[in-house]
Amino acid sequence: MDDHVMCSFFLLLWKNHPPPPLSSRHPLSSKMKFVASVFVSLLAASAEVSAFTQPSFGVSKSHSASASAAAPASSTELYGLRSFLKNKIGGGSTAAVSDISEEEVRSLFYLWNDALATGSSKLVAKRYAAKPILLPTVSDTPRTDYDGLTDYFDAFLQKKPQGEIIDGKITIGDGWAMDAGVYDFTMGVDGSKVSARYSFVYVEENGYWRIAHHHSSVMPEGTANAQAISEAEVRDLFQLWNGALATLDSSKVAARYSKEGVLLPTVSDTPRTDFDGIKDYFDAFLLKKPQGEIVESNVIVGTNWAQDAGIYDFTMGSDGSKVRARYSFIYVFEDGEWKISHHHSSVMPEGILGQPIAKDEVRSLFNLWNDALATGDSKKVAARYSKEAVLLPTVSDTPRTNEALITDYFDAFLLKKPQGTIESGEIIIGTNWAQDAGIYEFTMGATGDKVKARYSFVYVFEDGEWKISHHHSSVMPESIL
């Protein structure tokens, strides 16, 4: 212990506990015993006091000794000495721990900030108590031990942050202190600034004030960090995406989505939640050479996000067909650029742009199928069916649910050289589908036999063409022929 500290202590002790009058003095009075005992305690504990007054970053004793010789101890460090002396004098009273000023509490933030400036996550972690809780600004994971703290600051310190308290309120209790408010950080790597709310709860631990609880959160109204964007600029973001479609490069389209973007596409049941999934969808969709146009738009602008929702039309360059759909785009500002965080596209539930078809056109679809029969080529017949068609044939118990099975059926049936005519039928037209059901008759060219059967055709508009989605053919149950 420094001599001037020892002398100051005894002057304070003499002032507060003056010796009794000479007439009442006893060689071993209780007061003199007290002074002697304190003196002995101080000599015995000088090393302990020295430990209390070491700098708080956990540097080596040799470095600490040289540093203390060069500059006086800080108010926070001297507090450890005062706490020790009062505990010795007062019989270990805990009330002395709360003897810290608001200025000293505020200075604890700057000890932590100085640790940030070193770039060492270990030195920052040492500013926290043995059982800390850190709820950080940019991580969902609570950090409750030394390893968790260093892990968080390993990443955060790469931004070279330096903080400044803008507004704060300090509360001092018995053995604890709290500083809560708003601080700004300037990131040395790029000069960007971030405002956040903070709460520090400090506790006295082994003679030092440490951070027991640190909660940091983004500003809920985001006024300091909002990236300005107008409604017109939000709508223009669609054109960037549409321009990427025009390149026919699925990678360029997928690059318009954010790192954690979600795409719920128009013609796929599978949510696309990463770059590869999004690219895979557009590998197929771009074969149609789509180009879009917004018909109706509603824009909302938030803090570093924006939403554009409405209705758009697509013209498919591959066949000239048009498709109308509902859309929702949510954009986020990421890595200095506006990207699509969420994209939901769905068909119009009422089928506003259903592919028009007349009843006579529906009936003529049978003739296309019948002409394919006349070629004698089972593959050409199978090509009249949609991708996921179902054929329940007249003379086979086996449902045919793919191209290979449908082809297999007509390999045998076409040997009879069939040609059909519709005798009666009823037509229903829906949105991008149509139904023709009734009775048809086939003349078998190979034998001249005639066969009458009941039929159901369900047609769908697929890839710009009407195809057979469902074909059910059955013999007449009363065996007319």
Side-chain angles (χ1 to χ4, degrees):
M1 182 183 296
D2 293 344
D3 291 342
H4 71 277
V5 174
M6 184 75 78
C7 291
S8 297
F9 167 71
F10 277 107
L11 286 173
L12 178 63
L13 184 62
W14 191 269
K15 179 179 179 181
N16 292 331
H17 302 278
L22 289 173
S23 59
S24 63
R25 289 185 192 177
H26 186 280
L28 295 176
S29 68
S30 60
K31 185 160 291 189
M32 292 304 293
K33 288 180 181 179
F34 168 75
V35 172
S37 67
V38 171
F39 178 71
V40 171
S41 297
L42 286 170
L43 290 177
S46 61
E48 185 180 354
V49 175
S50 176
F52 281 2
T53 58
Q54 295 299 313
S56 301
F57 293 157
V59 293
S60 67
K61 290 184 178 180
S62 59
H63 175 80
S64 174
S66 62
S68 62
S74 71
S75 60
T76 306
E77 291 163 351
L78 288 178
Y79 174 75
L81 174 61
R82 291 201 302 271
S83 175
F84 169 76
L85 294 176
K86 291 187 178 184
N87 283 332
K88 290 294 183 182
I89 296 171
S93 170
T94 58
V97 173
S98 64
D99 185 15
I100 186 173
S101 68
E102 291 192 3
E103 181 182 359
E104 289 170 327
V105 173
R106 180 55 49 80
S107 72
L108 296 174
F109 168 80
Y110 291 101
L111 288 177
W112 176 79
N113 197 45
D114 289 345
L116 294 182
T118 68
S120 170
S121 60
K122 294 181 178 179
L123 293 183
V124 180
K126 287 183 179 180
R127 293 302 314 151
Y128 291 78
K131 295 182 178 180
I133 296 178
L134 167 62
L135 304 178
T137 321
V138 291
S139 172
D140 293 342
T141 306
R143 312 300 171 122
T144 58
D145 56 24
Y146 180 83
D147 290 338
L149 292 170
T150 55
D151 175 72
Y152 175 73
F153 286 109
D154 282 340
F156 185 58
L157 291 177
Q158 293 179 13
K159 301 177 182 180
K160 299 181 180 179
Q162 274 294 276
E164 179 183 7
I165 289 179
I166 304 302
D167 182 24
K169 178 177 175 58
I170 292 172
T171 306
I172 298 174
D174 186 5
W176 63 271
M178 180 175 69
D179 189 355
V182 177
Y183 50 15
D184 279 354
F185 282 92
T186 300
M187 306 302 174
V189 291
D190 57 14
S192 62
K193 292 183 180 291
V194 177
S195 288
R197 300 178 297 176
Y198 73 87
S199 297
F200 287 102
V201 176
Y202 302 100
V203 295
E204 193 273 342
E205 184 176 273
N206 297 327
Y208 294 109
W209 286 94
R210 304 284 191 186
I211 303 167
H213 178 86
H214 179 194
H215 188 164
S216 185
S217 64
V218 296
M219 303 295 285
E221 298 176 19
T223 53
N225 304 316
Q227 181 70 24
I229 188 170
S230 67
E231 290 191 10
E233 290 173 323
V234 173
R235 289 190 180 90
D236 285 343
L237 296 175
F238 172 80
Q239 300 304 331
L240 292 177
W241 178 77
N242 200 40
L245 293 182
T247 69
L248 303 181
D249 185 338
S250 59
S251 294
K252 290 183 178 179
V253 181
R256 293 302 315 154
Y257 292 77
S258 68
K259 295 173 184 175
E260 298 183 359
V262 174
L263 166 64
L264 304 178
T266 321
V267 291
S268 172
D269 293 341
T270 305
R272 312 299 173 122
T273 59
D274 57 23
F275 182 89
D276 291 338
I278 293 170
K279 181 180 182 300
D280 174 72
Y281 175 74
F282 286 108
D283 282 340
F285 186 59
L286 292 177
L287 295 176
K288 302 177 181 180
K289 301 181 180 180
Q291 274 294 277
E293 179 183 5
I294 289 178
V295 177
E296 182 180 336
S297 167
N298 295 277
V299 172
I300 300 173
V301 177
T303 301
N304 287 335
W305 66 270
Q307 173 184 291
D308 185 0
I311 297 171
Y312 49 15
D313 280 352
F314 282 93
T315 300
M316 307 302 173
S318 60
D319 58 17
S321 62
K322 292 183 181 290
V323 177
R324 178 166 286 182
R326 299 177 298 177
Y327 73 87
S328 298
F329 286 103
I330 295 178
Y331 302 98
V332 295
F333 194 70
E334 179 179 276
D335 298 334
E337 188 176 2
W338 288 96
K339 294 291 185 75
I340 302 166
S341 174
H342 177 86
H343 179 194
H344 188 165
S345 185
S346 63
V347 296
M348 302 297 288
E350 299 177 19
I352 296 173
L353 285 183
Q355 185 68 22
I357 189 170
K359 286 189 176 183
D360 60 342
E361 291 174 318
V362 174
R363 180 56 49 80
S364 69
L365 296 175
F366 171 80
N367 295 328
L368 292 177
W369 176 78
N370 199 40
D371 290 345
L373 294 181
T375 67
D377 186 339
S378 60
K379 291 184 178 179
K380 289 184 179 180
V381 180
R384 294 304 314 153
Y385 291 78
S386 68
K387 295 174 184 175
E388 297 183 2
V390 175
L391 166 63
L392 304 178
T394 320
V395 292
S396 172
D397 293 342
T398 306
R400 310 297 171 128
T401 57
N402 58 46
E403 184 181 14
L405 290 173
I406 293 172
T407 301
D408 175 72
Y409 175 75
F410 285 108
D411 283 340
F413 186 60
L414 290 178
L415 295 175
K416 302 177 182 181
K417 299 181 180 180
Q419 275 293 281
T421 58
I422 290 178
E423 291 196 352
S424 64
E426 297 294 330
I427 293 173
I428 300 173
I429 297 174
T431 301
N432 287 334
W433 67 271
Q435 175 185 288
D436 188 356
I439 297 172
Y440 51 15
E441 186 177 70
F442 284 94
T443 300
M444 305 303 172
T447 62
D449 294 339
K450 291 182 180 291
V451 177
K452 189 171 285 189
R454 297 178 300 176
Y455 74 88
S456 297
F457 285 103
V458 176
Y459 302 99
V460 294
F461 193 71
E462 180 179 274
D463 297 334
E465 188 177 2
W466 288 96
K467 295 289 186 76
I468 303 166
S469 174
H470 178 83
H471 179 193
H472 188 163
S473 184
S474 64
V475 297
M476 303 297 287
E478 298 178 20
S479 300
I480 296 173
L481 290 180

